[in-house]
């Protein structure tokens, strides 16, 4: 018996076709980039809120950083979803996510309680998101190298 004998070959083949399909790939890349598409759109439609967010995190001039974040997140997301230099967009979003996580989710500086627990959970979710972007970059680079 093989280690996958609990699943018949036709079932595995069908699952492989579904998971590897272009529709599934595009949907999963859109899902991975969802926060980096939704966030900038919110900033565009509430630019004063975007300015307040930049001020909150000490990023000045606020307007420059708000526009830079909007352009960066939308551009890098488009690269990941479209496949145009996907590895570069994924690496950029991984680095951005880690940087933003260490700026915005400093749970270790918070008093014990619900807010700290929520920030801790969000911190590690963002670390996982950065890891997913690294995986996308590694897969894309390996594919390009003929692997």
């Amino acid at each position: 018996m093989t280690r996958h004998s609990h699943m018949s070959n036709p079932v595995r083949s069908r699952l492989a076709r579904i998971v590897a399909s272009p529709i599934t790939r595009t949907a999963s890349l859109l899902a991975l980039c969802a926060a980096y598409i939704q966030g900038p759109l919110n900033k565009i439609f509430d630019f004063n809120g975007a300015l307040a967010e930049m001020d909150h995190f000490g990023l000045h001039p606020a307007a420059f950083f708000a526009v830079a974040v909007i352009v960066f997140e939308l551009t890098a997301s488009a690269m990941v979803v479209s496949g145009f230099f996907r590895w570069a967009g994924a690496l950029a979003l991984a680095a951005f996510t880690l940087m933003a996580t260490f700026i915005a989710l400093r749970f270790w500086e918070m008093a014990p309680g619900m807010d700290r627990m929520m920030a801790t959970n969000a911190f590690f979710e963002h670390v996982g998101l950065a890891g997913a972007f690294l995986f996308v970059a590694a897969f894309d680079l390996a594919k390009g190298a003929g692997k």
Side-chain angles (χ1 to χ4, degrees):
M1 278 180 110
T2 67
R3 68 176 225 211
H4 298 291
S5 61
H6 64 281
M7 205 184 306
S8 67
N9 284 339
V11 171
R12 282 182 61 118
S13 296
R14 176 103 172 111
L15 283 174
R17 280 194 306 278
I18 292 168
V19 171
S21 76
I23 291 170
T24 302
R25 180 177 52 248
T26 300
S28 65
L29 291 169
L30 278 168
L32 183 61
C33 293
Y36 306 93
I37 297 168
Q38 169 269 330
L41 293 177
N42 280 351
K43 285 175 179 58
I44 290 167
F45 293 116
D46 180 13
F47 198 69
N48 286 333
L51 295 175
E53 181 183 20
M54 298 305 128
D55 281 334
H56 173 78
F57 291 115
L59 300 171
H60 298 101
F64 168 80
F65 280 100
V67 170
V69 168
I70 290 167
V71 170
F72 169 79
E73 288 183 308
L74 290 175
T75 301
S77 295
M79 292 168 71
V80 169
V81 174
S82 72
F84 179 76
F85 286 99
R86 177 176 286 138
W87 63 269
L91 286 176
L93 286 171
F96 176 82
T97 300
L98 286 176
M99 180 183 65
T101 298
F102 278 96
I103 291 171
L105 296 169
R106 302 172 68 86
F107 68 89
W108 55 90
E109 294 178 351
M110 300 172 77
M114 182 61 77
D115 288 342
R116 181 180 179 150
M117 186 175 70
M118 298 289 286
T120 302
N121 289 342
F123 179 92
F124 287 101
E125 288 168 359
H126 283 79
V127 169
L129 184 57
F133 279 117
L134 286 173
F135 187 83
V136 167
F139 185 82
D140 198 55
L141 287 168
K143 186 179 71 173
K147 295 181 182 177

